[in-house]
Amino acid sequence: MTLDTQISCLAAPVSGLEIIEQINAGKIGPDEAFAGFADAYDSKEDTLSCFVSADYSKAAERAGNGPLRGLPVGIKDILETNDFPTRHGSPIYANHVPLGDASAVALARKAGGAIVGKTVTTEFAYFTPRGTKNPWNPEYSPGGSSSGSAAGVAAGMFPYAIGSQTGGSVIRPASYCGVAGYKPTYGLIPTQGAKPFSHSLDTLGVFAATVPDCAFFASMLTERELESPQAPTPPVIGFCPTSQWEHVSEEMRDAMDTAMEKARAAGATVVEHDLPSIFMRAVEAHSVIQNYEAVRALAWEWANHRDKLSHKLVETLEESETISPESYDAARRVAKAARLALSGVFQNVDVLLTPSSEGHAPKDLASTGTPTFNKLWTLMGTPCVNVPGLFATNGMPLGVQIVGAAMTDRQTLQASAWLEKALAE
Amino acid sequence: MTLDTQISCLAAPVSGLEIIEQINAGKIGPDEAFAGFADAYDSKEDTLSCFVSADYSKAAERAGNGPLRGLPVGIKDILETNDFPTRHGSPIYANHVPLGDASAVALARKAGGAIVGKTVTTEFAYFTPRGTKNPWNPEYSPGGSSSGSAAGVAAGMFPYAIGSQTGGSVIRPASYCGVAGYKPTYGLIPTQGAKPFSHSLDTLGVFAATVPDCAFFASMLTERELESPQAPTPPVIGFCPTSQWEHVSEEMRDAMDTAMEKARAAGATVVEHDLPSIFMRAVEAHSVIQNYEAVRALAWEWANHRDKLSHKLVETLEESETISPESYDAARRVAKAARLALSGVFQNVDVLLTPSSEGHAPKDLASTGTPTFNKLWTLMGTPCVNVPGLFATNGMPLGVQIVGAAMTDRQTLQASAWLEKALAE
């Protein structure tokens, strides 16, 4: 790490599980714990712009005695909240205050989380960034679309955040911001009250300092038991370069090598695992499905407020209008065939290991990077975890990704936590 | 038909296609055509209560030159509209005016439809009725949950309406109200901006006077070509009593016999077609999936406004809370297996024929009837059409249902239109 990046580094993710352990042991009070996060917000928000709107002063809300113990939670600003405006990253919704909460927000409150604000999202969770900076170095992008949720966890402003992924909007920013990110099996966290972009791809996910923290928080939102003790035996890991390997940076290749070495050293079996050729077509199918659905999901905005959409989104939706129902149906059939083929892949390995992103975050605040290594898995509906712990020579984080079979979220998180520990050795 | 029901019959569905033909031929002007529907509204709404809110005076909106020629369209009040309140049949949303339109509403406007108001829905499209009466006899239920959409088409207040089906909320009210109803393949009409109840079942559908009218209107909402010329050859129809046959009324049994006789007389092949045993489990799976998802879709209302929910809904959601994720996952697996088995069924027949409802509408305004013959097909995601044209001895309509394979909507509508014509012979 160079001196320059050390000076500007505002990254300091905090594990909620550790804090809750301290609270439960009587070492600190919930208010004191909360204040630590509020301090991070006070001192860093001006530089990082993680929030669209925030309020750390709502003490009453924190009285809840749920498992989250009143700790702050950040909510991506495409999820409705009845106490904060919900702007979807778009001027069309500048004054929009919904009547109720999105289901995932209601579940977070029920679990004793204190919603401290709405985190920055790109426009409708697509590509156009809205000013958030990377806590590891504010000259770098935090990634997108869940920019503020990932950056806020990385900066220690809140231990838990909700995001969403349609292309790579959970795993990519988690990789860039050096935090754990978890995109569950499609549909596992209820999406009601989240602004749709592509209904068959949109998946809610979570950010936290560590993989076990993700499992803990996601258990509240899915109302499923996703936590598990340390894995009894090391996993069988399939290294999966995918057809996109040519896009991987030198440093990410090194990171993948390191991850495999450390996994082997800790006892895992790592085998290279190629994907059947249908998966190359599936990557293309993702864009067809996403864009066909997006122009319909945004039918009202498209008909009435085209002038308030970004150039990039207008360009995409204009192209979307030319996609025929036949092309869309064909893309859906490819996706279905690939999902079927994928169940065969998981007969030989417990999980797949693949990069979370092409490389570290771009040094360009006008970009949020590309979802090269995420789109396929979003389309497959499989659980994905960004495992943090590795870094490029410039000090920026490099995340590696664990992918599991659909509905094996608990095992996927367990293998990811195992790897996270192995990387720290 | 007895004298009593003749006196109170307010049913007079009007085919939009016929009106548009007259407009295009210069026989009547669009304003004149619109006025006919407005007159029906003026004279019948007080008796029938099809609307939550209505405004037939918005002439400007009708200036559109789309294929719908400014004809009035009714929108079930679970779809967001930016010019009418959207109450979801619940006092919780009494003052709720959304910022934008649901996608399906935006698409109806784009096609030149004039949204004249929000039609009565049961509470959150579940069971608790909100006062609409059946135009064939106001002492009878119009069915639910799309009560106002079905009754309004039957009364000639609008030629086209949007509804939704999670159990049997399109096909059942269409059957009771003697109009054509079409529930497309799951997902074909975009659902964004419709209040979710059970996301993997909720399906938008349409009502109109005739099956070809449904195909015409649904083509606008799906942006797919669903209209077709008269079928070249009569269909092969599988008569499908299902495991629920014991619930069918004597008069509906007669109606099914009549339908088969008339179909055969018109040249169709009709064979009895039993379903594999997995379908009995699928019927049970429907309720598990629906209720598990509903308590999550309504997480905010459940946490904050339980006192404003109906007794029936509270009872259901309390029970829903006891459904384990394991039971839900198992129910989803049953549904998947049944969908797979169904593709085998359609290798032998073009479409299935089954009752739309147990019998005619109940003479009980506190009930909307039961979705006995609808739940299975909603779960299967297959296109379903209520074919009107038959009646009970008391003058109330009895609908028969055509079910096609998923994604064969055009052929299913074609076969249904064929049957509709055969029933009229």
Side-chain angles (χ1 to χ4, degrees):
Chain A
M1 209 182 280
T2 69
L3 191 63
D4 263 8
T5 56
Q6 274 181 324
I7 286 172
S8 52
C9 183
L10 299 174
V14 177
S15 162
L17 282 175
E18 279 181 25
I19 300 286
I20 290 165
E21 203 181 301
Q22 288 176 32
I23 293 174
N24 292 345
K27 288 185 190 163
I28 56 168
D31 280 358
E32 195 183 342
F34 186 92
F37 293 102
D39 285 349
Y41 166 76
D42 288 340
S43 63
K44 300 176 185 177
E45 174 60 9
D46 282 352
T47 308
L48 298 177
S49 299
C50 295
F51 282 99
V52 184
S53 53
D55 186 348
Y56 275 73
S57 69
K58 296 185 182 174
E61 193 181 28
R62 289 185 281 120
N65 269 323
L68 292 175
R69 303 305 302 260
L71 291 183
V73 173
I75 305 291
K76 184 178 185 176
D77 198 28
I78 60 157
L79 285 100
E80 298 194 334
T81 43
N82 84 337
D83 49 358
F84 291 100
T86 300
R87 300 193 174 114
H88 307 312
S90 166
I92 300 169
Y93 290 86
N95 303 312
H96 178 231
V97 183
L99 183 63
D101 289 332
S103 294
V105 173
L107 290 164
R109 290 197 213 267
K110 183 177 157 192
I115 310 303
V116 289
K118 304 303 284 292
T119 62
V120 170
T121 172
T122 57
E123 180 194 28
F124 295 118
Y126 196 51
F127 280 105
T128 305
R130 294 281 180 228
T132 305
K133 297 175 184 70
N134 194 311
W136 294 86
N137 184 329
E139 291 178 9
Y140 288 74
S141 168
S145 64
S146 311
S147 319
S149 286
V153 166
M157 295 184 192
F158 37 80
Y160 300 114
I162 301 179
S164 73
Q165 176 158 322
T166 303
S169 294
V170 168
I171 299 302
R172 180 164 98 262
S175 175
Y176 291 171
C177 292
V179 298
Y182 162 47
K183 180 201 83 67
T185 292
Y186 176 77
L188 229 55
I189 300 177
T191 56
Q192 290 78 27
K195 178 75 178 165
F197 189 79
S198 166
H199 64 88
S200 62
L201 298 167
D202 298 337
T203 313
L204 296 188
V206 300
F207 299 91
T210 71
V211 174
D213 271 293
C214 283
F216 168 69
F217 183 46
S219 293
M220 314 292 150
L221 305 184
T222 59
E223 299 182 283
R224 287 170 185 262
E225 181 52 61
L226 297 175
E227 293 183 278
S228 53
Q230 178 69 22
T233 52
V236 178
I237 297 174
F239 163 56
C240 182
T242 83
S243 61
Q244 310 295 313
W245 189 248
E246 58 179 309
H247 301 293
V248 178
S249 74
E250 201 58 51
E251 290 192 305
M252 181 58 93
R253 286 172 196 233
D254 292 346
M256 290 296 292
D257 284 342
T258 306
M260 286 190 276
E261 272 164 38
K262 293 200 170 208
R264 283 195 186 103
T269 305
V270 184
V271 292
E272 183 159 337
H273 205 298
D274 212 5
L275 292 175
S277 60
I278 180 87
F279 287 91
M280 291 183 64
R281 290 168 60 206
V283 173
E284 294 157 32
H286 176 281
S287 301
V288 175
I289 292 170
Q290 174 188 275
N291 296 350
Y292 181 90
E293 292 181 353
V295 73
R296 287 162 179 82
L298 298 174
W300 177 75
E301 292 85 350
W302 190 233
N304 298 280
H305 295 291
R306 205 171 293 199
D307 57 317
K308 291 186 190 131
L309 302 176
S310 73
H311 179 68
K312 167 97 175 161
L313 185 54
V314 168
E315 216 172 58
T316 298
L317 296 182
E318 272 172 354
E319 214 180 290
S320 300
E321 283 194 311
T322 69
I323 302 171
S324 69
E326 290 73 25
S327 304
Y328 171 70
D329 294 346
R332 302 252 298 174
R333 284 193 296 270
V334 168
K336 199 172 169 181
R339 274 183 216 117
L340 207 66
L342 194 60
S343 56
V345 169
F346 285 109
Q347 284 174 350
N348 306 316
V349 298
D350 293 326
V351 290
L352 295 173
L353 174 68
T354 186
S356 288
S357 49
E358 293 181 0
H360 62 67
K363 194 174 182 177
D364 176 4
L365 294 173
S367 162
T368 64
T370 51
T372 315
F373 289 92
N374 314 120
K375 290 196 295 183
L376 176 63
W377 309 116
T378 313
L379 183 66
M380 292 301 96
T382 50
C384 301
V385 179
N386 177 65
V387 181
L390 301 175
F391 293 86
T393 49
N394 64 357
M396 297 304 291
L398 288 166
V400 299
Q401 180 175 211
I402 289 287
V403 178
M407 297 305 289
T408 66
D409 291 66
R410 194 178 181 195
Q411 297 92 310
T412 304
L413 285 160
Q414 191 181 42
S416 304
W418 182 93
L419 180 64
E420 183 178 46
K421 219 174 154 192
L423 295 187
E425 296 295 313
Chain B
M1 206 182 281
T2 70
L3 190 63
D4 263 11
T5 55
Q6 275 181 323
I7 286 170
S8 52
C9 182
L10 298 174
V14 177
S15 161
L17 281 176
E18 279 181 25
I19 300 286
I20 290 166
E21 204 181 299
Q22 290 176 30
I23 293 174
N24 291 345
K27 289 186 190 159
I28 56 167
D31 280 359
E32 195 184 343
F34 186 92
F37 293 102
D39 286 349
Y41 166 75
D42 288 339
S43 63
K44 300 175 185 178
E45 174 60 9
D46 281 354
T47 308
L48 298 178
S49 299
C50 295
F51 282 99
V52 183
S53 53
D55 186 348
Y56 274 73
S57 69
K58 295 185 182 175
E61 193 181 29
R62 289 184 281 121
N65 269 322
L68 292 175
R69 303 306 300 261
L71 291 183
V73 173
I75 305 291
K76 184 177 185 177
D77 199 29
I78 62 157
L79 285 100
E80 298 194 335
T81 42
N82 84 337
D83 48 357
F84 292 99
T86 300
R87 300 195 174 112
H88 307 313
S90 165
I92 300 169
Y93 289 86
N95 303 312
H96 178 233
V97 183
L99 184 61
D101 289 331
S103 294
V105 173
L107 289 165
R109 289 196 215 267
K110 183 177 156 191
I115 310 303
V116 289
K118 306 303 285 291
T119 61
V120 170
T121 172
T122 57
E123 179 194 28
F124 296 116
Y126 196 51
F127 279 107
T128 306
R130 292 284 179 228
T132 305
K133 296 175 184 72
N134 194 311
W136 294 86
N137 185 330
E139 291 179 9
Y140 287 74
S141 168
S145 62
S146 310
S147 318
S149 286
V153 166
M157 295 185 192
F158 37 78
Y160 300 114
I162 302 178
S164 72
Q165 174 158 322
T166 302
S169 293
V170 168
I171 299 302
R172 179 164 98 264
S175 175
Y176 291 173
C177 291
V179 297
Y182 162 48
K183 179 199 84 65
T185 292
Y186 175 76
L188 229 54
I189 300 177
T191 56
Q192 290 77 27
K195 179 74 178 165
F197 190 79
S198 166
H199 64 88
S200 63
L201 298 169
D202 299 336
T203 312
L204 296 189
V206 300
F207 297 92
T210 71
V211 174
D213 272 294
C214 283
F216 169 69
F217 184 46
S219 292
M220 314 292 150
L221 305 183
T222 59
E223 299 182 283
R224 286 170 186 261
E225 181 51 62
L226 297 174
E227 293 183 277
S228 54
Q230 179 68 22
T233 52
V236 178
I237 298 173
F239 164 55
C240 182
T242 84
S243 61
Q244 310 296 312
W245 189 248
E246 58 180 307
H247 300 293
V248 178
S249 75
E250 200 59 50
E251 288 192 305
M252 180 59 92
R253 286 173 196 232
D254 291 345
M256 291 296 291
D257 284 340
T258 304
M260 287 190 274
E261 271 164 41
K262 292 201 170 209
R264 283 196 186 102
T269 306
V270 184
V271 292
E272 183 158 337
H273 204 297
D274 211 5
L275 293 174
S277 60
I278 180 88
F279 287 92
M280 291 183 66
R281 289 169 61 208
V283 173
E284 293 158 32
H286 176 281
S287 300
V288 174
I289 292 171
Q290 173 187 274
N291 296 349
Y292 181 90
E293 292 181 354
V295 73
R296 286 161 180 84
L298 298 174
W300 176 74
E301 293 85 350
W302 190 232
N304 298 281
H305 295 290
R306 204 171 296 201
D307 55 318
K308 292 186 190 131
L309 301 176
S310 73
H311 179 67
K312 167 97 176 162
L313 184 55
V314 168
E315 217 173 58
T316 298
L317 296 182
E318 273 172 354
E319 215 181 289
S320 300
E321 282 193 311
T322 68
I323 302 171
S324 69
E326 291 73 24
S327 303
Y328 172 68
D329 295 346
R332 303 251 298 172
R333 284 193 296 271
V334 168
K336 199 172 169 181
R339 273 183 217 118
L340 207 65
L342 195 60
S343 55
V345 170
F346 285 109
Q347 284 174 351
N348 306 318
V349 298
D350 293 325
V351 290
L352 295 173
L353 173 69
T354 185
S356 288
S357 49
E358 295 181 0
H360 63 66
K363 194 173 181 177
D364 175 5
L365 295 172
S367 161
T368 64
T370 52
T372 316
F373 288 92
N374 314 119
K375 291 196 295 184
L376 176 64
W377 309 116
T378 313
L379 183 66
M380 293 302 96
T382 51
C384 301
V385 178
N386 177 66
V387 181
L390 301 175
F391 293 87
T393 48
N394 65 356
M396 297 304 290
L398 288 168
V400 299
Q401 180 174 212
I402 289 287
V403 178
M407 296 306 288
T408 67
D409 291 66
R410 195 178 180 195
Q411 298 92 310
T412 305
L413 285 161
Q414 191 180 42
S416 304
W418 183 92
L419 180 64
E420 184 177 44
K421 217 175 153 190
L423 295 187
E425 297 293 313

